[in-house]
Amino acid sequence: MLTWGITLREIQGCADDSGVEYPCIEEFCQTLAIDDLALTTIRAYRSDIRAFFHWFAPRRIESLTSADLIDFRQYLSEGRRLKPASVNRKLEALRRFCRWAHQHGKLLSNVAAELKLAHVAREVRPAGLTEAEVHGLLRAAGQSPHGLGKRNYAVLQVMLQAGLRVGEVAGLRVSDVLLRERAGTVRVRQGRGRKEREVPLNSSARRGLGSYLKSRGVCRPHEPLFCSETGAAISVRSIQTMVSNLVRRSRITRIPISTHTTRHTFALGFLKQNPGKLVELAALLGCESLDTTAIYLQPSAEEMGGDLKKVR
């Protein structure tokens, strides 16, 4: 975990160019750090609250009312013409700030308690890969040139079978993987919100990783799990390029595919085998909110299209 001084200094590094300091923001950000929110999340909250106070100026926080928040929501939607998702992100930051301000005596009441979010169109379930497409990608990965077949195959297996984010894959060390004949796990030490988690590895992922590690010879525990051709840790950009090349070589055109598609594929496959187990899926994916995971229960694009045709 980062030390207090470094955390606060990094948070303050995202200040706007005006140099103006607004009330309570640093205290609020310190509370977020104590709650172990990710640094990127704290930066986003800080930026959103500063933007609100810039709009609200020169009035003081003590005079803030629920009507002011409604006016700000209208300003974001109509004045700045932001998309509902962007508006709601800023409103969520205000909700958390106002709750904190009320708890710490900065506001007499939580004026954001009844603040409604902007209406968002019904979400569509993310698309995953079919079984044939998975086999096609794995086949292309195993046939990668320049002696990268075993590495690329192992990378793809971890992404498909464990649902890791691309940044989490790039950050893995040799010691993060435990391989046994009948069981195995991969430990994510730097997940979203700096939270650790362990994800089980099925037999195909274990075989892929085992074959790759055997080809590397003796590995020290602290070494990167996946290395570039120079021996350094593979970068996020390199993994993204690798997946793009595999998609092109596999000639998959049904849906746009990125590194995040492998995560969707894992999530959809898990729920197919374990219907309704959102809590377990959220833990495996490292999601802080069940609302994030619940998107996998939404209708697919094809189903939504069918519903629209029925209405017509």
Side-chain angles (χ1 to χ4, degrees):
M1 180 181 293
L2 297 173
T3 64
W4 258 106
I6 294 174
T7 300
L8 187 54
R9 184 163 61 250
E10 290 190 6
I11 293 169
Q12 291 171 336
C14 63
D16 61 26
D17 296 332
S18 67
V20 177
E21 291 299 326
Y22 297 105
C24 309
I25 294 180
E26 300 310 330
E27 294 178 56
F28 173 62
C29 289
Q30 289 180 28
T31 302
L32 297 179
I34 291 174
D35 291 341
D36 202 26
L37 267 70
L39 182 59
T40 52
T41 301
I42 298 175
R43 283 175 170 168
Y45 276 11
R46 185 179 192 275
S47 177
D48 290 339
I49 300 303
R50 288 180 68 89
F52 170 75
F53 274 107
H54 182 73
W55 172 86
F56 190 60
R59 288 172 288 173
R60 299 176 60 83
I61 185 175
E62 294 85 355
S63 65
L64 182 62
T65 67
S66 57
D68 294 319
L69 299 179
I70 294 172
D71 288 344
F72 183 64
R73 183 184 61 197
Q74 185 174 356
Y75 159 73
L76 294 174
S77 299
E78 300 179 8
R80 294 188 55 189
R81 296 186 180 280
L82 297 182
K83 293 182 178 180
S86 298
V87 172
N88 289 341
R89 193 201 74 185
K90 297 178 185 300
L91 295 182
E92 285 291 357
L94 276 173
R95 279 176 160 181
R96 187 156 190 160
F97 175 79
C98 289
R99 184 168 64 249
W100 170 87
H102 173 53
Q103 291 171 347
H104 289 77
K106 314 292 183 182
L107 287 171
L108 291 178
S109 64
N110 182 2
V111 295
E114 303 298 326
L115 180 63
K116 294 182 179 179
L117 300 179
H119 176 72
V120 179
R122 189 178 183 184
E123 292 184 289
V124 176
R125 184 176 69 216
L129 298 166
T130 66
E131 186 174 348
E133 289 167 343
V134 167
H135 289 318
L137 281 179
L138 288 171
R139 185 167 51 250
Q143 297 171 350
S144 298
H146 311 299
L148 297 176
K150 290 185 177 180
R151 186 205 69 179
N152 291 354
Y153 183 87
V155 169
L156 199 58
Q157 282 283 15
V158 169
M159 297 176 75
L160 286 166
Q161 309 294 355
L164 270 60
R165 302 177 179 92
V166 61
E168 295 171 344
V169 174
L172 290 174
R173 300 287 173 177
V174 173
S175 60
D176 294 329
V177 172
L178 175 63
L179 299 178
R180 295 196 179 105
E181 184 178 350
R182 295 184 177 277
T185 59
V186 58
R187 175 179 292 181
V188 180
R189 299 183 185 274
Q190 291 295 327
R192 187 72 56 85
R194 299 194 296 278
K195 289 181 172 61
E196 287 193 14
R197 71 183 191 278
E198 282 192 355
V199 184
L201 296 170
N202 64 12
S203 58
S204 59
R206 297 198 304 274
R207 284 195 300 269
L209 280 167
S211 178
Y212 165 63
L213 288 172
K214 186 177 180 180
S215 71
R216 281 182 55 180
V218 178
C219 299
R220 295 182 177 87
H222 66 275
E223 290 180 351
L225 178 60
F226 298 117
C227 297
S228 67
E229 293 179 79
T230 65
I234 192 171
S235 67
V236 169
R237 185 73 173 180
S238 294
I239 298 176
Q240 292 170 332
T241 300
M242 179 200 81
V243 170
S244 296
N245 290 336
L246 295 179
V247 171
R248 176 177 50 79
R249 286 163 47 199
S250 302
R251 299 180 180 179
I252 301 174
T253 58
R254 181 180 63 89
I255 58 171
I257 298 174
S258 68
T259 52
H260 219 63
T261 308
T262 60
R263 185 168 162 87
H264 296 325
T265 302
F266 167 79
L268 292 169
F270 177 86
L271 286 179
K272 185 176 181 180
Q273 296 179 1
N274 305 275
K277 292 192 174 181
L278 277 183
V279 174
E280 292 82 355
L281 177 59
L284 292 173
L285 292 176
C287 294
E288 295 182 351
S289 171
L290 284 181
D291 291 340
T292 303
T293 317
I295 192 173
Y296 295 108
L297 298 180
Q298 297 293 340
S300 66
E302 292 80 6
E303 292 168 342
M304 288 287 286
D307 289 342
L308 289 174
K309 289 177 182 178
K310 290 177 183 178
V311 171
R312 290 173 186 167

